[in-house]
Amino acid sequence: MMMPKCAIQHNELHLPQPLTGIQQLAESRRFKAWLLDQFGVLHDGKQPYPAAILTLEKLAKTGAKMVIISNSSRRSSVTADKMRSLGFDPSLFLGAITSGELTHQYLKRRDDAWFAALGRSCIHMTWSDRGAISLEGLDLKVVENVEEADFVLAHGTEAVGLPSGLSISKKIEDLEKILEQCAARRIPMVVANPDFVTVEARALRVMPGTLAAKYEQLGGEVKWMGKPGEIIYQSALAMAGVSASDCIAVGDSLHHDIKGAITARIPSLFITGGIHAAELGLGAFGEVADESAVRALALKHEATPSYSMPAFTW
């Protein structure tokens, strides 16, 4: 069944069209490219969601271009390796664009005026259990003393980098105390992953965006890399070679995925079983959310999607 190619008015306070699967949208070929979030849509960090791999394979057969667009602290090549390790076929995608990749490129090139003005010494907030982030090739000096830092670089929420290249584990409360010192010195922050939380094996893990929001509350200046900023969407559109109206963005975060898509004037599909599952009263995978609850939550976030569905299924 062909779907009408009508313009989608994103900012209308309309109820998103509920779907049970993407088959109708995909087979209509309404969208030439699909911009897919990974955590909360394709997998939970530990394993693929049921039917996600099969759904991607069927979507590929329609001729759709697929790009992973992710608020991951890690570079795009690491994301591709991660997807492969979880059983996904990377050849199905044109590529991956991550907030971590954008951060790396902007810090390396420094052809943007804001980044050109940054110094080279930084307080580096990173990961420990999830694996530290390499700063190789960026000509940065990691420092422990806030007085020596030109800016804060937030890749993770578990540790602080040391000049030796190693890191020392820290609690969120400890990191926030460091941020208070940084804010007092009025040094800027670059956040390589704007997410507040992410789904990990059905639980929610605190992400760097939470630190960045705290830093703004303290009066600090933050450069948000990734969703919902337009830069990452522009990069994805360029990779796919399509216009905003010819693609659809799929994600589970109203603040990041859906609001970002709306800002970029891209139609969107909200996966209700991701980070908002508990807020929507959902338990089991694939459980259908109450339409009025979805609408209310979307209005709360000022991010009404074009479509909604429980999980990324065919």
Side-chain angles (χ1 to χ4, degrees):
M1 178 180 176
M2 295 294 290
M3 297 187 68
K5 287 192 173 183
C6 57
I8 298 173
Q9 300 298 319
H10 292 294
N11 293 323
E12 290 181 1
L13 300 182
H14 68 290
L15 181 69
Q17 181 179 338
L19 305 175
T20 56
I22 68 164
Q23 181 176 1
Q24 187 179 9
L25 274 184
E27 292 182 345
S28 74
R29 291 175 171 76
R30 160 73 176 83
F31 302 111
K32 297 177 182 177
W34 291 61
L35 310 184
L36 302 165
D37 183 31
Q38 52 168 338
F39 289 88
V41 174
L42 302 178
H43 63 80
D44 66 0
K46 301 296 183 182
Q47 60 185 6
Y49 286 121
I53 292 177
L54 180 61
T55 301
L56 288 174
E57 292 171 348
K58 289 184 176 181
L59 180 57
K61 288 179 180 178
T62 69
K65 299 176 180 180
M66 291 182 281
V67 176
I68 294 174
I69 176 171
S70 175
N71 277 356
S72 168
S73 304
R74 304 185 188 282
R75 300 194 62 188
S76 296
S77 59
V78 178
T79 292
D81 292 341
K82 171 78 171 181
M83 296 295 288
R84 184 182 294 107
S85 73
L86 291 174
F88 293 90
D89 179 359
S91 70
L92 295 177
F93 305 96
L94 287 178
I97 298 177
T98 67
S99 51
E101 181 67 36
L102 290 176
T103 300
H104 184 93
Q105 294 299 333
Y106 273 72
L107 283 172
K108 185 175 183 178
R109 295 197 310 262
R110 295 195 177 233
D111 51 4
D112 173 271
W114 193 91
F115 281 89
L118 278 182
R120 296 284 177 177
S121 299
C122 69
I123 296 290
H124 187 210
M125 297 184 174
T126 185
W127 299 111
S128 55
D129 293 344
R130 294 166 66 94
I133 306 289
S134 172
L135 302 182
E136 185 177 356
L138 295 180
D139 191 25
L140 294 178
K141 179 183 178 183
V142 175
V143 298
E144 293 180 79
N145 188 345
V146 171
E147 296 299 321
E148 300 174 13
D150 298 314
F151 69 102
V152 182
L153 178 55
H155 273 113
T157 62
E158 296 175 339
V160 170
L162 301 175
S164 65
L166 300 176
S167 63
I168 181 169
S169 296
K170 296 283 187 181
K171 295 180 179 179
I172 287 289
E173 295 79 11
D174 297 326
L175 296 179
E176 289 180 343
K177 289 179 181 177
I178 295 173
L179 290 181
E180 290 175 1
Q181 298 173 42
C182 294
R185 289 200 57 236
R186 296 188 175 279
I187 61 175
M189 169 191 277
V190 177
V191 59
N193 182 340
D195 280 353
F196 301 130
V197 294
T198 194
V199 175
E200 189 165 284
R202 298 296 291 174
L204 295 182
R205 180 184 285 263
V206 176
M207 301 304 280
T210 297
L211 293 177
K214 173 69 174 180
Y215 201 55
E216 284 191 333
Q217 290 174 6
L218 292 169
E221 178 186 7
V222 176
K223 177 64 73 172
W224 296 82
M225 306 300 292
K227 299 177 286 188
E230 287 194 69
I231 293 174
I232 195 167
Y233 291 95
Q234 293 167 354
S235 299
L237 293 176
M239 178 180 285
V242 299
S243 64
S245 61
D246 286 330
C247 72
I248 185 169
V250 185
D252 69 317
S253 169
L254 288 166
H255 176 80
H256 296 96
D257 301 307
I258 306 306
K259 184 170 285 187
I262 291 172
T263 301
R265 303 189 68 78
I266 295 173
S268 60
L269 168 56
F270 173 46
I271 302 301
T272 57
I275 65 168
H276 294 294
E279 291 175 272
L280 292 169
L282 303 176
F285 176 84
E287 185 177 344
V288 178
D290 178 78
E291 291 182 22
S292 62
V294 172
R295 182 174 184 273
L297 190 61
L299 291 176
K300 175 183 175 182
H301 286 269
E302 299 182 341
T304 299
S306 313
Y307 308 94
S308 66
M309 56 190 282
F312 187 68
T313 57
W314 189 251

